[in-house]
Amino acid sequence: MRLNQSGDSTSSNWRFPFFNLAHARFILKMAAVQGSIVDAKDEADIKTEPAADGFGNNHANDAGVLSASPGSSAAAGNNKPAAGAPEDQQTLLAVLQFLRKNKLSESAEILRREAGLPEEVLDPKGADSAGSGLGSGADIDGGDASALLSRVTVTAAGGAKAPTKGTVHSKSSAGEDQPDVNVVLSAYSQQGDPALYEVYYSGLKKFIESVLDCHRAELSQVFYPLFVHMYLELVYNNHEAEAKAFFEKFSGDQECYYEEDLRILSSLTKKEHMRGNETLLDFRTSKFVLRISRDSYQLLKRHLQERQNNQIWNIIQEHLYIDIFDGMPRSKSQIDAMSGSLAGEAKREANKAKVYYGLLKEPEIELPLDDEDEEAENEEGKPKKKKPKKDSTGSKSKKQDPNAPSQTRIPLPELKDSDKLDKIMYMKESTKRIRLGPDNLPSICFYTFLNAYQGLTAVDVTDDSSLIAGGFADSTVRVWSVTPKKLRKVKTATDLNLIDKESDDVLERIMDDKTASESKCLYGHSGPVYGISFSPDRNYLLSCSEDGTVRLWSLLTFTCLVGYKGHNYPVWDTQFSPYGHYFISGGHDRVARLWATDHHQPLRIFAGHLADVTCTRFHPNANYMATGSSDRTIRLWDVLTGNCVRIFTGHKGPIHALAFSPNGKFLASGATDGRVLLWDIGHGLMIGELKGHTECIYSLRFSRDGEILGSGSMDNTVRLWDAMKAFDDLETDDFTAATGHIHLQDNSQELLLGTYMTKSTPVVHLHFTRRNLLLAAGAYNP
Amino acid sequence: MAEERRQKQCSVSLPTESMKAMAESMGVGQLQEESCAALSEEVSYRIKEIAQDALKFMHHGKRRKLTTSDIDNALKLKNVEPLYGFQSQEFIPFRFASGGGRELHFYEEKEVDLSDIINTPLPRVPLDVSLKAHWLSIEGVQPSIPENPPPASKEQQKTESTEPLKVVKPGQEEKGAIQGKGQNTPAPDNKGKEKGLIRLKPRSTHELSVEQQLYYKEITEACVGSCEAKRAEALQSIATDPGLYQMLPRFSTFISEGVRVNVVQNNLALLIYLMRMVKALMDNPTLYLEKYLHELIPAVVTCIVSKQLCLRPDVDNHWALRDFAARLMAQSCKTFSTTTNNIQSRITKTLTKSLLDDKTQWTTRYGSIAGLAELGADVIKTLILPRLAVEGARIKAVMDGPVVSNIDRIGAEHVQSLLLKHCASVIAKIRPQPDNVEQYRTDFGYLGPMLCSHVMKARTQAALQAQQVNRTTLTITQPRSTLSVSQSGLSGSGGPRTPSIIKVPSSLTLMSPRPGTPSQPSPPATKYIVMGTSAGAASTQQVITISSSQSASPVTSTVPSATSTLQPLVKLEPGSGSGLAAPRPMQKYIVVSLPSSASSLETKSSVLPSSISSTQVDGGIKLERSDSPAASTQSPH
């Protein structure tokens, strides 16, 4: 158990040269959440990653890792962390103080020395001042690692507006000098007459109901955050009965999509409960974002000031972020489409950063290889038709897409010979690809896992569709070959010595025919396996599990190569980069991490989500990655800088599936609410909503040319949607009007091309083969 | 709605009594009310917290069911030691107990004798995970293969039959309808056309594939063939196979034609087989029969009220068939009766009419009473109870009057026992307590005294049951002295526990064991009768031999069964010694029990008619008493 190891290993682990500030703050938060020191120590164990950390140091460090050729194992960031800007110092001080407070003086000392801080910071006075400085700087609990990280990284990137900066809300009450969760809560300590809360709330309600229709929908948005904060204030001040009455009276008014949060809230009736509740911390540490037109806002402001309704005005000032825009107030449906996330809508500026969503140029190796290819074709006696096709692709690839990132923005591994061969195969296959469309639906081949006893938790298929892997609740990972080619292990070392290394078929010779079988089982995890991913070259397999590790398996030896430890909590999803080498993971600890297979520590930590990161996907150009979360938002992160460049809100439940369109322009997301939402990455807008599924969507996949979107769900159906039409319709719209408002027409039924029921088999995975045959997989649950 | 739910959410917390009980189990004797309240709030909060986390694990485990391991994982997240020993895939068998004003749920841990475990042969190793591929769709069309679900779900069939003009939901149906039903339906090419003036329901064709035709042939042959094992299999297939939707019209025609022919030929066995097919069709959870009731109901009703169903009405037990069919009837009334089709009232009207008719024969009279009685207590109260006196007089006339014919006499006997059985429980409910024989006689005439004794018995029975209600004992319905066609007809959709319709060892055929001639009348000496018992857990066959001599108590011998399902055999051998003036040849009844669901929906319905009693009440007629106590001690399971 974690408890045991943490006890004595704490001090030894501190030898690692790096102390990750972002992480430290994060730890603080988790520690606060757990409310136990033991945990905090335990968390400290994982601080060993040299992730994106403070300031210039961050930059140097990251650049170091990324520019190092992926093949090399250059230990990134052995550089001493430079003493950061005051901001970082403050953070560091907060961490130090926390450690001291919890009697971890030894660790504190080491950290201090690592950071090169003068000794006096550790004396109580210094700590105090540091703390108070911090108190005004950000919400002390240090909980919002994301905020810190993004702020830090953004400053590094050169002062661009940080997308997540909003989550750092400042200017809260001064004089909070303990970096503890208490501070957060104490914001609630302002006393008002508890009996008046209902009066205030219903007064506001009456007012909003009486305003003009066009403003009502917008102003109604404040109900929910107000309700939550007022309730929490009541609870915090021990007015339990009033709180209950307040909840009962007004909880029914809230939008149905907040039901989940309300349920959590309803169970929270005591001040003591507030200390350990994560959801509550989210409410506190991040401001609830509302988008309101200027007119509506003025109306509200005037009303509150006239009535001298300070209670509500204070809450709005302190806990709400009102994103005011000029123009027409939005309609109810427009608001509903975008709201639903844990912390309100995304701010408009959060989605303003430029995203290079274009695809990378295909490597130049094609031409010579194509000749070979052609020769092969010639031998087969069908020399025709090949030429023009190749030319067209060739010319296309030469034209630089203005939206594409530069080829070397992210250092990518060099292509090996086997990769080139695979590319040829890919080219060959894609010439035989079926052109899909509404009149030409794909065939679906369903792989059913029998006798899985409800234990199938994850599935992945290799790009060439030759292997299928399944992750199971019993901690195993199984790999099947779905082609006649059986799975074989490499021979043992002694046998390998015997073979002739010069022979042409050495790759064939190293395989041990005695081990040939249709499936292989990989043992190593100690908890349900929630995510698996094949490497593009099919030599490796990644799996992540409840036990907090990500494991890399070799598909040549069928053994575990590395266990990546970093997430201390269940890891929900992992995926290889489309170019291999890198991979991402996301888990219950609310962060996503970017790793390189040759580093046992993550290269980046992407923090910002307010709840579990439930799914992670790489953009096809590998420069970006998307994460979906239980906080009902999707974030797009820049792999290079670590910044969050897009926040998409609109889902009403935890997100369980993400898919990028093959051209990299669009993102599809599916959630437990059974809806698929389509997003335009470049503009940062929602562009479509596909309704039809009745239960959680676990799988989304675009066809190879992006014409069809397949979705698989818990409701035992595979549905096919007309993605072309969904995106085409969009282009005629003038949504670039910059208001960021969308008019979604309800055309799900027109876009739905087919629904295919399985026999009580939830659809866990979808995959389009290179020829556009749809493979689906799931376990039969009788 | 949502508001209500939410308000409920707000105030749910564990009762303080639970806190006390838990404290006591930990050795804390006196816990103050206040601390209990505080504890219960805290505990409820923590439990909710853990449940929320557990839900997360369920979602990621891609399951719909929360399992114990989810809870364990949630506890692990909170750094709490998980609960060991609750590993259970399905459900945790919490038991309920009350006593001393306390109500407790507890987890029963039985002492396990290790040597038993060691000595029992190992169970079969569960099958390993395997991967199987099939075509879910071929270029947009879902092939109808066993791996795919049937093209029309039950709900769809229902809406189709109840609201035929409803616009089919695209996505839900349209694809299936257009593509599944295939080539001959002119698929609407474009949406514009579809929005035209007239909306034509696509003509559905009932073309069967070659496989389906073969299947149909095999199934129907097995259902009416001589091999009981095959029949059991076939019926099982009908009752469980999800893909029969398209064959339903054929089956229904088969049944209705079969009944028509066999009633004329008085072929009891075949009629029974056909009724069992009806039952199997009704049990199939994927079929919605409403469209075919016009064929099925007449067939069933025929089997209830037909004047003659067998060649030898004096010997053959056509009564059992009537009972069985009556239950089928009641079931279909329950399932399909709506305000538009009025099935129940139409059926009631028909049956009442024949009941009121003086010229109705005893057989038909029996059938109509049985049919009405199965419809429930209300029907009995309003339609049968008022007739008791009249019927009593009629029975009396036959019993005490000059010997008319043996057939009439048996008929009267059966009607009498049927009336007693069904009416007693109803009367017990509506009449005030003191049961006075004289009072009964004045109220009900000839049947009064007997009714009185039955009612009293019913009352004691009810009292007994009330006592037992909180016990978790499993009472297996004693098949003792009941003699009837399977009661499985009553149990609605068969209940989830029913493993199959009928699994009878092949040696026990419903009819004469002579091969190949199922249509022949059974020999007088032996009679096999199908009956149902509750599905018990024992894997033995009970052979209960009852000799209906004066003092006979049932002799039950248990025979190890080859099959694993419980198949008690009840052998009733009316000893000739007791038969005074029974003009019948000596007869042996063998009752083959079918593992039926024996649900406790209606306790009275388990009381089977024409029971054999060991006491002779009247006139030395053997088959007399009904209402064996066991019949109403249905286990609550």
Side-chain angles (χ1 to χ4, degrees):
Chain A
M1 283 247 22
R2 291 179 210 148
L3 297 180
N4 306 340
Q5 40 166 259
S6 61
D8 45 6
S9 63
T10 334
S11 52
S12 63
N13 275 353
W14 287 106
R15 254 179 277 119
F16 284 98
F18 262 81
F19 192 86
N20 173 358
L21 296 184
H23 201 85
R25 303 211 68 189
F26 177 70
I27 290 152
L28 270 173
K29 174 169 186 183
M30 290 308 271
V33 167
Q34 298 292 336
S36 105
I37 297 170
V38 186
D39 261 353
K41 277 209 257 177
D42 175 34
E43 296 288 342
D45 280 354
I46 58 165
K47 287 175 209 159
T48 52
E49 319 91 31
D53 67 89
F55 215 86
N57 155 21
N58 159 42
H59 213 45
N61 166 22
D62 289 337
V65 172
L66 284 173
S67 56
S69 139
S72 81
S73 57
N78 268 329
N79 9 4
K80 264 262 190 240
E87 245 182 334
D88 298 296
Q89 280 224 4
Q90 281 173 7
T91 320
L92 199 57
L93 287 173
V95 174
L96 283 171
Q97 200 186 356
F98 173 79
L99 292 172
R100 279 176 67 85
K101 191 166 157 255
N102 290 324
K103 312 262 184 311
L104 296 166
S105 52
E106 202 183 329
S107 318
E109 182 61 23
I110 296 166
L111 172 60
R112 190 191 59 74
R113 242 180 281 133
E114 292 289 349
L117 289 173
E119 189 124 7
E120 57 267 26
V121 294
L122 282 179
D123 71 40
K125 227 193 208 164
D128 251 7
S129 62
S132 59
L134 257 175
S136 59
D139 273 325
I140 293 288
D141 70 311
D144 213 344
S146 77
L148 185 74
L149 178 67
S150 59
R151 187 180 48 182
V152 163
T153 46
V154 161
T155 348
K161 274 270 174 194
T164 53
K165 198 162 175 189
T167 48
V168 180
H169 34 41
S170 47
K171 284 84 197 172
S172 64
S173 53
E176 306 162 348
D177 48 8
Q178 301 164 277
D180 194 333
V181 67
N182 280 335
V183 182
V184 187
L185 297 177
S186 68
Y188 280 128
S189 64
Q190 47 178 316
Q191 281 286 354
D193 186 353
L196 285 179
Y197 275 59
E198 279 189 27
V199 179
Y200 289 146
Y201 188 87
S202 39
L204 183 72
K205 195 171 147 190
K206 216 172 282 164
F207 161 70
I208 290 179
E209 274 163 8
S210 67
V211 298
L212 286 176
D213 281 357
C214 61
H215 299 299
R216 192 183 303 148
E218 284 208 316
L219 291 181
S220 303
Q221 293 178 89
V222 303
F223 279 140
Y224 175 67
L226 266 185
F227 169 79
V228 171
H229 285 289
M230 289 174 89
Y231 176 75
L232 291 178
E233 261 183 50
L234 284 173
V235 171
Y236 184 78
N237 294 317
N238 288 324
H239 304 300
E240 199 181 315
E242 283 90 349
K244 253 186 191 159
F246 184 76
F247 189 91
E248 261 166 52
K249 188 153 181 204
F250 298 113
S251 67
D253 300 344
Q254 310 307 327
E255 299 285 351
C256 55
Y257 38 80
Y258 292 122
E259 201 171 319
E260 199 86 333
D261 291 339
L262 286 176
R263 199 177 306 142
I264 297 174
L265 217 56
S266 71
S267 64
L268 187 137
T269 50
K270 290 221 183 313
K271 190 178 173 182
E272 295 81 62
H273 294 163
M274 294 176 83
R275 300 198 58 176
N277 195 305
E278 297 166 32
T279 316
L280 168 78
L281 276 180
D282 294 333
F283 276 119
R284 285 296 301 117
T285 55
S286 56
K287 281 197 173 188
F288 198 92
V289 182
L290 301 173
R291 255 189 235 178
I292 292 184
S293 72
R294 189 171 297 283
D295 295 349
S296 307
Y297 180 68
Q298 297 293 0
L299 217 58
L300 177 70
K301 198 169 162 190
R302 213 177 308 133
H303 167 78
L304 292 176
Q305 279 168 352
E306 272 169 22
R307 295 291 178 85
Q308 310 245 304
N309 203 338
N310 284 332
Q311 202 76 29
I312 288 182
W313 186 242
N314 282 344
I315 292 178
I316 291 181
Q317 292 281 304
E318 270 171 40
H319 304 303
L320 267 53
Y321 179 97
I322 297 189
D323 191 6
I324 301 164
F325 62 86
D326 295 305
M328 284 284 288
R330 292 186 297 167
S331 70
K332 175 99 178 99
S333 63
Q334 280 177 320
I335 292 168
D336 279 348
M338 299 295 289
S339 52
S341 105
L342 200 59
E345 291 181 44
K347 271 170 256 176
R348 270 171 307 151
E349 70 254 34
N351 290 336
K352 285 280 196 283
K354 165 99 175 143
V355 174
Y356 300 99
Y357 56 79
L359 299 184
L360 294 179
K361 247 189 313 183
E362 282 299 307
E364 295 294 331
I365 50 144
E366 280 170 33
L367 287 171
L369 289 166
D370 253 17
D371 289 341
E372 267 175 48
D373 189 25
E374 208 167 22
E375 275 165 38
E377 293 273 311
N378 272 330
E379 280 162 17
E380 280 162 32
K382 307 184 257 180
K384 274 178 70 178
K385 224 200 152 197
K386 188 74 200 193
K387 207 100 189 175
K389 193 127 199 173
K390 185 185 68 192
D391 282 351
S392 68
T393 55
S395 63
K396 204 188 269 173
S397 68
K398 272 183 197 96
K399 194 176 67 193
Q400 175 69 34
D401 184 345
N403 288 314
S406 76
Q407 208 71 8
T408 53
R409 191 165 180 267
I410 299 285
L412 294 173
E414 267 175 43
L415 284 180
K416 292 183 296 232
D417 284 351
S418 58
D419 297 330
K420 290 175 186 166
L421 282 172
D422 200 50
K423 277 261 165 357
I424 301 166
M425 280 305 294
Y426 177 79
M427 296 289 294
K428 267 192 193 169
E429 293 262 347
S430 53
T431 57
K432 294 177 193 157
R433 183 179 297 166
I434 301 159
R435 197 77 202 150
L436 296 179
D439 307 318
N440 206 359
L441 293 174
S443 299
I444 308 174
C445 178
F446 201 99
Y447 285 97
T448 311
F449 288 80
L450 299 169
N451 312 315
Y453 308 104
Q454 310 241 333
L456 182 76
T457 45
V459 176
D460 195 33
V461 182
T462 54
D463 187 66
D464 70 345
S465 317
S466 63
L467 303 175
I468 288 188
F472 292 87
D474 62 0
S475 318
T476 57
V477 176
R478 284 160 198 267
V479 185
W480 279 268
S481 164
V482 291
T483 55
K485 203 176 145 196
K486 300 220 164 155
L487 299 175
R488 290 174 303 174
K489 288 185 190 176
V490 172
K491 285 178 184 163
T492 57
T494 44
D495 290 339
L496 284 176
N497 271 331
L498 301 176
I499 59 171
D500 175 15
K501 281 153 200 93
E502 303 303 315
S503 72
D504 290 339
D505 58 345
V506 68
L507 285 177
E508 179 62 25
R509 288 194 187 196
I510 59 169
M511 306 310 287
D512 188 355
D513 279 329
K514 272 176 282 180
T515 58
S517 65
E518 260 177 30
S519 81
K520 291 257 187 274
C521 197
L522 305 171
Y523 302 99
H525 280 295
S526 58
V529 178
Y530 290 121
I532 46 178
S533 174
F534 280 107
S535 73
D537 61 4
R538 294 186 298 284
N539 283 331
Y540 304 103
L541 176 71
L542 275 175
S543 65
C544 65
S545 154
E546 187 268 341
D547 62 13
T549 61
V550 181
R551 279 175 187 273
L552 181 74
W553 309 86
S554 162
L555 297 182
L556 291 172
T557 59
F558 290 96
T559 52
C560 182
L561 302 176
V562 198
Y564 300 95
K565 294 177 185 169
H567 295 278
N568 241 11
Y569 287 96
V571 189
W572 296 132
D573 199 8
T574 186
Q575 200 208 5
F576 253 113
S577 133
Y579 295 90
H581 186 64
Y582 301 111
F583 66 93
I584 43 175
S585 64
H588 176 71
D589 57 4
R590 307 176 178 198
V591 294
R593 289 162 200 247
L594 174 81
W595 312 71
T597 44
D598 55 358
H599 287 63
H600 70 286
Q601 295 156 337
L603 308 180
R604 294 283 185 282
I605 293 184
F606 304 94
H609 278 297
L610 300 173
D612 304 32
V613 176
T614 48
C615 56
T616 54
R617 277 291 164 274
F618 257 108
H619 189 275
N621 68 17
N623 279 260
Y624 295 90
M625 48 175 274
T627 55
S629 162
S630 307
D631 67 8
R632 309 189 281 274
T633 60
I634 299 150
R635 282 168 187 255
L636 189 74
W637 308 86
D638 188 335
V639 167
L640 180 70
T641 62
N643 288 344
C644 174
V645 289
R646 289 286 181 271
I647 304 176
F648 296 130
T649 61
H651 271 298
K652 318 289 191 244
I655 288 135
H656 276 272
L658 289 170
F660 282 97
S661 68
N663 60 10
K665 271 177 144 174
F666 305 105
L667 177 68
S669 61
T672 50
D673 57 8
R675 298 180 317 147
V676 177
L677 296 183
L678 303 172
W679 311 89
D680 182 300
I681 294 169
H683 297 97
L685 288 175
M686 186 197 295
I687 50 169
E689 179 186 17
L690 306 175
K691 281 187 271 192
H693 282 292
T694 54
E695 280 185 69
C696 180
I697 292 164
Y698 280 120
S699 177
L700 283 170
R701 197 58 86 108
F702 282 94
S703 66
R704 292 282 174 159
D705 296 322
E707 314 97 332
I708 300 269
L709 173 67
S711 61
S713 155
M714 195 72 202
D715 64 9
N716 302 340
T717 57
V718 175
R719 284 171 202 256
L720 301 177
W721 309 87
D722 192 342
M724 282 292 245
K725 191 163 175 220
F727 298 141
D728 280 350
D729 286 357
L730 162 86
E731 252 130 35
T732 58
D733 275 354
D734 55 338
F735 60 80
T736 45
T739 51
H741 304 159
I742 38 136
H743 296 271
L744 282 184
Q745 70 256 56
D746 187 16
N747 56 354
S748 307
Q749 298 307 340
E750 286 167 44
L751 297 177
L752 181 65
L753 297 177
T755 302
Y756 305 98
M757 280 286 279
T758 65
K759 219 170 179 177
S760 47
T761 310
V763 184
V764 175
H765 189 80
L766 291 174
H767 173 85
F768 275 96
T769 66
R770 290 169 176 176
R771 299 187 189 184
N772 266 341
L773 171 73
L774 180 56
L775 304 182
Y780 178 57
N781 283 348
Chain B
M1 279 275 290
E3 249 172 85
E4 275 170 41
R5 217 171 347 130
R6 240 178 246 157
Q7 299 205 344
K8 237 184 254 165
Q9 272 172 20
C10 187
S11 53
V12 174
S13 71
L14 292 171
T16 49
E17 288 86 59
S18 306
M19 293 302 118
K20 272 195 186 139
M22 278 177 224
E24 272 169 34
S25 73
M26 301 290 292
V28 181
Q30 292 299 315
L31 207 58
Q32 283 176 3
E33 196 61 34
E34 280 172 32
S35 19
C36 278
L39 267 177
S40 91
E41 251 178 71
E42 179 67 16
V43 169
S44 314
Y45 171 70
R46 297 294 164 200
I47 288 179
K48 282 178 192 169
E49 230 183 350
I50 287 167
Q52 263 150 14
D53 277 340
L55 220 60
K56 234 178 234 177
F57 283 96
M58 180 191 80
H59 272 303
H60 283 283
K62 285 148 179 126
R63 274 176 278 115
R64 281 194 198 85
K65 243 187 234 163
L66 194 71
T67 64
T68 48
S69 60
D70 292 331
I71 305 274
D72 284 350
N73 285 333
L75 287 171
K76 256 163 108 183
L77 270 193
K78 303 243 171 253
N79 250 336
V80 180
E81 188 95 338
L83 302 166
Y84 296 108
F86 281 95
Q87 291 303 332
S88 170
Q89 279 293 318
E90 278 303 308
F91 71 110
I92 302 170
F94 276 108
R95 303 277 300 266
F96 175 75
S98 66
R102 284 276 181 83
E103 291 183 337
L104 275 179
H105 289 270
F106 64 96
Y107 181 50
E108 194 177 42
E109 286 177 292
K110 289 194 192 101
E111 264 181 39
V112 179
D113 192 350
L114 277 181
S115 63
D116 277 0
I117 294 179
I118 294 165
N119 291 331
T120 46
L122 286 173
R124 274 196 304 171
V125 180
L127 294 168
D128 197 17
V129 187
S130 60
L131 198 61
K132 189 173 183 296
H134 74 269
W135 290 107
L136 186 66
S137 131
I138 296 170
E139 291 176 0
V141 184
Q142 189 160 24
S144 55
I145 47 175
E147 285 88 350
N148 286 328
S153 71
K154 191 167 180 178
E155 279 72 44
Q156 227 170 295
Q157 293 175 41
K158 186 170 178 176
T159 44
E160 212 171 275
S161 54
T162 49
E163 296 160 78
L165 290 176
K166 199 181 159 198
V167 178
V168 274
K169 267 180 264 147
Q172 261 293 318
E173 255 258 356
E174 208 163 64
K175 290 290 162 199
I178 292 169
Q179 292 166 344
K181 280 169 192 165
Q183 313 78 1
N184 353 28
T185 33
D189 288 321
N190 50 357
K191 308 272 174 200
K193 214 173 179 181
E194 229 180 313
K195 282 174 192 143
L197 287 172
I198 306 160
R199 185 177 180 85
L200 285 177
K201 196 168 175 289
R203 187 161 49 91
S204 56
T205 52
H206 292 282
E207 250 170 49
L208 300 185
S209 65
V210 181
E211 294 82 11
Q212 283 172 320
Q213 287 173 29
L214 272 176
Y215 175 83
Y216 172 79
K217 188 165 158 273
E218 285 290 320
I219 288 283
T220 48
E221 272 173 14
C223 275
V224 296
S226 59
C227 175
E228 181 59 36
K230 258 194 179 171
R231 173 163 30 255
E233 251 174 62
L235 288 173
Q236 160 109 37
S237 171
I238 294 179
T240 52
D241 204 309
L244 297 183
Y245 170 62
Q246 287 179 324
M247 273 177 273
L248 201 47
R250 317 284 162 137
F251 279 127
S252 100
T253 313
F254 177 80
I255 290 166
S256 87
E257 288 297 312
V259 168
R260 199 200 311 260
V261 170
N262 286 295
V263 158
V264 175
Q265 295 184 350
N266 291 323
N267 194 333
L268 179 63
L270 276 180
L271 289 174
I272 292 178
Y273 299 154
L274 290 168
M275 285 304 107
R276 285 168 70 184
M277 273 181 84
V278 175
K279 162 99 180 98
L281 284 175
M282 279 181 146
D283 283 348
N284 191 321
T286 62
L287 295 180
Y288 194 75
L289 297 182
E290 129 103 44
K291 267 202 233 170
Y292 308 99
L293 289 180
H294 67 281
E295 285 186 314
L296 294 178
I297 285 189
V300 175
V301 172
T302 306
C303 288
I304 302 176
V305 295
S306 173
K307 265 184 238 164
Q308 199 176 358
L309 289 169
C310 48
L311 286 178
R312 304 151 174 263
D314 51 340
V315 186
D316 292 343
N317 193 323
H318 55 96
W319 313 106
L321 171 62
R322 292 178 198 274
D323 285 333
F324 183 69
R327 266 181 228 113
L328 282 180
M329 192 64 249
Q331 189 189 339
S332 51
C333 281
K334 238 179 262 160
T335 328
F336 302 109
S337 191
T338 61
T339 44
T340 29
N341 61 20
N342 270 330
I343 295 177
Q344 173 143 3
S345 61
R346 281 155 73 188
I347 296 289
T348 319
K349 222 176 274 171
T350 317
L351 294 177
T352 319
K353 213 173 120 201
S354 61
L355 182 62
L356 294 179
D357 191 349
D358 275 343
K359 292 184 196 90
T360 312
Q361 296 208 359
W362 284 109
T363 46
T364 308
R365 191 169 296 281
Y366 179 92
S368 39
I369 293 173
L372 287 172
E374 290 296 343
L375 290 175
D378 281 340
V379 178
I380 295 178
K381 204 165 94 184
T382 48
L383 293 175
I384 301 184
L385 291 192
R387 298 278 305 163
L388 273 180
V390 186
E391 296 298 329
R394 203 193 303 276
I395 293 168
K396 188 166 189 283
V398 177
M399 297 289 197
D400 299 348
V403 176
V404 201
S405 83
N406 192 28
I407 294 178
D408 275 354
R409 202 180 180 87
I410 296 174
E413 255 168 53
H414 273 97
V415 169
Q416 180 183 328
S417 59
L418 181 77
L419 283 172
L420 289 177
K421 187 191 71 172
H422 282 301
C423 296
S425 58
V426 178
I427 293 174
K429 272 188 204 118
I430 58 173
R431 258 180 101 95
Q433 186 58 275
D435 293 316
N436 188 337
V437 180
E438 286 314 306
Q439 189 67 41
Y440 271 81
R441 194 188 294 282
T442 49
D443 284 359
F444 302 111
Y446 170 75
L447 289 173
M450 280 177 278
L451 260 180
C452 183
S453 70
H454 273 86
V455 168
M456 283 194 282
K457 221 168 276 165
R459 284 195 209 279
T460 50
Q461 204 56 57
L464 237 158
Q465 258 189 328
Q467 280 175 4
Q468 286 182 334
V469 98
N470 278 338
R471 301 274 161 71
T472 46
T473 50
L474 181 90
T475 341
I476 297 170
T477 313
Q478 288 287 339
R480 175 160 58 116
S481 72
T482 51
L483 179 56
S484 153
V485 162
S486 160
Q487 68 190 42
S488 41
L490 81 135
S491 60
S493 54
R497 305 194 64 188
T498 324
S500 66
I501 295 302
I502 288 165
K503 255 205 185 136
V504 186
S506 51
S507 62
L508 299 166
T509 47
L510 243 189
M511 283 295 298
S512 128
R514 273 176 291 159
T517 52
S519 56
Q520 284 183 359
S522 56
T526 319
K527 185 88 184 140
Y528 300 88
I529 289 149
V530 190
M531 61 158 279
T533 67
S534 65
S539 62
T540 51
Q541 286 187 334
Q542 281 181 308
V543 175
I544 300 171
T545 320
I546 297 176
S547 69
S548 60
S549 60
Q550 196 74 32
S551 60
S553 61
V555 185
T556 311
S557 56
T558 311
V559 186
S561 156
T563 55
S564 59
T565 43
L566 172 81
Q567 290 158 353
L569 304 182
V570 184
K571 242 187 231 169
L572 301 178
E573 294 176 290
S576 56
S578 62
L580 305 175
R584 274 178 297 157
M586 191 176 100
Q587 205 178 6
K588 197 164 73 180
Y589 286 85
I590 296 181
V591 181
V592 181
S593 144
L594 312 173
S596 80
S597 56
S599 81
S600 51
L601 287 176
E602 295 169 79
T603 28
K604 66 152 183 53
S605 51
S606 65
V607 180
L608 298 162
S610 62
S611 317
I612 293 182
S613 80
S614 49
T615 53
Q616 298 194 339
V617 180
D618 189 283
I621 312 271
K622 267 171 291 169
L623 299 177
E624 183 82 9
R625 210 198 78 206
S626 67
D627 244 2
S628 77
S632 47
T633 53
Q634 281 281 354
S635 78
H637 295 275

